[in-house]
Amino acid sequence: MSLPPVEDPVEDPPGRTSARTLARIRFDLTWQSEDAIHTDSRVANRIDLWRDIFPPELESALLTGRAVDETLTHRFEPGTLVPPEREALRPALHRKQFTPSLARGGHIEPRLGRFYPRTLLKGVEGIAAGDRRPFRLVAAQDDRLVVDLNHPLAARTLEVALHIESICARGDQRGGRCIEVDELITANGPGMQARWRDQATDFLSDDPFGRLDARPDATFYASARLVDHLDSTAIARIEALYSRLIPGASRILDLMTSWHSHLDPTLEPASVTGLGMNQEELEANPLLTERLVHDLNCNPMLPFADASFAAVVCTVSVEYLTRPFEVFSEVARVLEPGGRLILTFSNRWFPPKVIRIWQDLHEFERLALVLDYLRESSRFGDLQTWSLRGLPRPADDKYADQLAESDPVYAVWGTRLAGR
């Protein structure tokens, strides 16, 4: 995936990589599950090419005088970038070994296909107290549970693209932590968006669409909120993604929108119809050619004719839908065949109105949930997910003194199938 680099202060760069340089590198990890393609991008801002540890397949090529904007790629067979899959790491346990720790006033119940921190397991060899690494529940029968402790990418073929975004002189380096690149790009999420052996994940138990604030949404959204919900770097990445996936001169539906459509003005769409919850916010959106206040949680039917749009986008709002399967069935209806639905989100939301399941899931499991929304209608194909983490937070952002990294971006998209 081609993304423009974030500008650095001028540092008199040496021009090419060597053991005497630091580099900002974007790692794009691409892999395929049973019905989707996934790309997980991780930016590392000051990689030390002398000290930090690379997979040997990439290290030798990186140190041979590479320039900014060069890209190196390597295909890793299953079990070479992450530890190989082992049946011994799929033990059968007694249900009592899964400890139902309290979570927001209730018990965590084991659900098929879901991920949980290992600290919930007791009496399992190799798991120490406080171990937060994920495991997956893959079978349950009576009082027995089967858990999978393998890395979720252990059985996948992985392609890594290493893109050099900037280079600067290394200087004197004293102390600091050595980065293991294979762990940096595969840990804490990648792989969790795929089903286990194409087995459906149980997302729908435990009142998944309940919310803290059960009042009608019209009450909550009665007052305009003319604020952005992501930092400017994350917004720019979403705009770039939409520009890449949506052809120019398209008729676009901006679903659950507000005063900012997150569309690059250079896209020059034929029209942008905004459907949202607050008229003042919609009126403040200069890109909209049509504005409609409509509560999808009250009425998931879309007031548009079949095949009205070439693209539908939904930005940082899917987590508020209480009737998502009905909504995305309607989205398929109003999309023309070959049209694309793109959903983007991050790790921020309005707590009173977010659905319960969203808060309970790991960030990468939310990609899996949204994929299920699209699968349910059987009218979307070419399913893909994308994640982006690690970009520096803008210096002028209000959280710049608290958070070093920009808001993460997660995206799911699919294409409306013809004849369905």
Side-chain angles (χ1 to χ4, degrees):
M1 178 174 295
S2 178
L3 295 171
V6 176
E7 293 298 327
D8 270 335
V10 176
E11 297 188 71
D12 188 24
R16 292 190 173 272
T17 59
S18 73
R20 298 184 299 277
T21 59
L22 304 175
R24 180 170 59 235
I25 298 175
R26 189 185 75 245
F27 299 93
D28 296 330
L29 176 71
T30 301
W31 52 283
Q32 188 161 357
S33 58
E34 287 67 22
D35 64 352
I37 296 173
H38 312 273
T39 299
D40 297 315
S41 298
R42 185 69 168 88
V43 177
N45 290 298
R46 290 180 69 83
I47 288 286
D48 187 324
L49 301 185
W50 175 78
R51 181 181 65 191
D52 295 331
I53 302 173
F54 284 78
E57 299 87 347
L58 294 172
E59 182 177 30
S60 57
L62 183 62
L63 291 176
T64 55
R66 302 291 178 167
V68 170
D69 285 337
E70 282 197 59
T71 298
L72 310 175
T73 62
H74 187 79
R75 179 184 175 93
F76 293 86
E77 295 304 316
T80 56
L81 188 64
V82 300
E85 190 173 40
R86 295 169 51 206
E87 189 62 33
L89 293 179
R90 203 170 290 122
L93 308 177
H94 193 281
R95 185 175 289 265
K96 291 182 179 179
Q97 291 178 266
F98 183 100
T99 58
S101 301
L102 291 175
R104 282 185 287 278
H107 288 280
I108 297 175
E109 292 295 333
R111 301 299 179 194
L112 282 178
R114 295 272 297 275
F115 286 91
Y116 303 94
R118 297 188 187 191
T119 188
L120 296 185
L121 298 178
K122 62 180 181 181
V124 179
E125 184 179 356
I127 298 180
D131 189 342
R132 303 292 299 179
R133 290 177 298 163
F135 75 89
R136 191 170 210 166
L137 179 67
V138 297
Q141 185 176 14
D142 298 327
D143 62 350
R144 308 296 290 176
L145 302 175
V146 178
V147 302
D148 193 345
L149 304 175
N150 288 287
H151 192 287
L153 290 173
R156 308 288 183 185
T157 298
L158 307 174
E159 181 177 285
V160 175
L162 180 160
H163 182 78
I164 302 169
E165 295 197 338
S166 68
I167 303 169
C168 66
R170 183 173 180 272
D172 290 332
Q173 299 289 309
R174 301 179 183 277
R177 183 173 64 91
C178 180
I179 296 173
E180 295 189 34
V181 167
D182 54 355
E183 182 175 352
L184 175 75
I185 61 180
T186 63
N188 195 29
M192 296 172 71
Q193 60 267 58
R195 291 176 168 181
W196 189 77
R197 297 184 177 178
D198 207 25
Q199 171 183 279
T201 301
D202 181 3
F203 290 124
L204 301 183
S205 297
D206 310 316
D207 187 24
F209 303 118
R211 298 182 296 175
L212 185 63
D213 183 352
R215 294 177 301 162
D217 286 347
T219 302
F220 183 81
Y221 294 103
S223 299
R225 295 177 173 87
L226 301 179
V227 296
D228 283 317
H229 303 294
L230 299 174
D231 67 67
S232 60
T233 295
I235 289 173
R237 297 307 189 184
I238 289 175
E239 290 179 353
L241 177 70
Y242 290 161
S243 293
R244 186 174 71 85
L245 296 178
I246 301 174
S250 292
R251 292 168 287 114
I252 300 173
L253 172 59
D254 190 355
L255 202 66
M256 305 175 74
T257 191
S258 179
W259 70 298
H260 190 176
S261 279
H262 304 88
L263 298 171
D264 189 327
T266 64
L267 185 60
E268 297 184 351
S271 64
V272 182
T273 298
L275 186 148
M277 287 296 297
N278 183 279
Q279 186 67 40
E280 183 180 346
E281 292 177 2
L282 296 178
E283 292 294 339
N285 189 328
L287 290 183
L288 299 182
T289 55
E290 182 181 0
R291 298 166 175 84
L292 180 65
V293 174
H294 184 85
D295 184 349
L296 291 172
N297 288 337
C298 180
N299 178 10
M301 304 298 291
L302 293 174
F304 309 111
D306 294 357
S308 294
F309 302 99
V312 177
V313 299
C314 181
T315 310
V316 294
S317 294
V318 65
E319 59 266 33
Y320 304 115
L321 284 174
T322 61
R323 302 168 71 176
F325 299 111
E326 296 169 84
V327 168
F328 292 118
S329 179
E330 275 290 283
V331 167
R333 179 184 64 79
V334 304
L335 265 175
E336 62 186 34
R340 186 167 273 150
L341 167 63
I342 314 166
L343 303 113
T344 55
F345 47 92
S346 187
N347 58 0
R348 297 165 60 181
W349 55 75
F350 292 130
K353 285 299 184 181
V354 71
I355 58 173
R356 178 175 290 114
I357 184 68
W358 197 265
Q359 301 177 85
D360 291 343
L361 296 177
H362 186 282
E363 290 184 17
F364 276 77
E365 282 187 286
R366 294 170 192 150
L367 291 164
L369 175 66
V370 176
L371 277 173
D372 272 8
Y373 292 167
L374 273 60
R375 290 188 184 104
E376 178 69 16
S377 72
S378 300
R379 299 175 76 179
F380 291 98
D382 301 322
L383 300 177
Q384 296 193 47
T385 75
W386 174 57
S387 66
L388 173 63
R389 301 174 294 162
L391 286 171
R393 183 166 288 269
D396 60 353
D397 186 78
K398 64 180 179 179
Y399 298 114
D401 62 339
Q402 304 172 45
L403 300 170
E405 294 187 356
S406 171
D407 296 320
V409 175
Y410 302 98
V412 175
W413 62 89
T415 301
R416 166 76 159 84
L417 296 173
R420 295 196 182 184

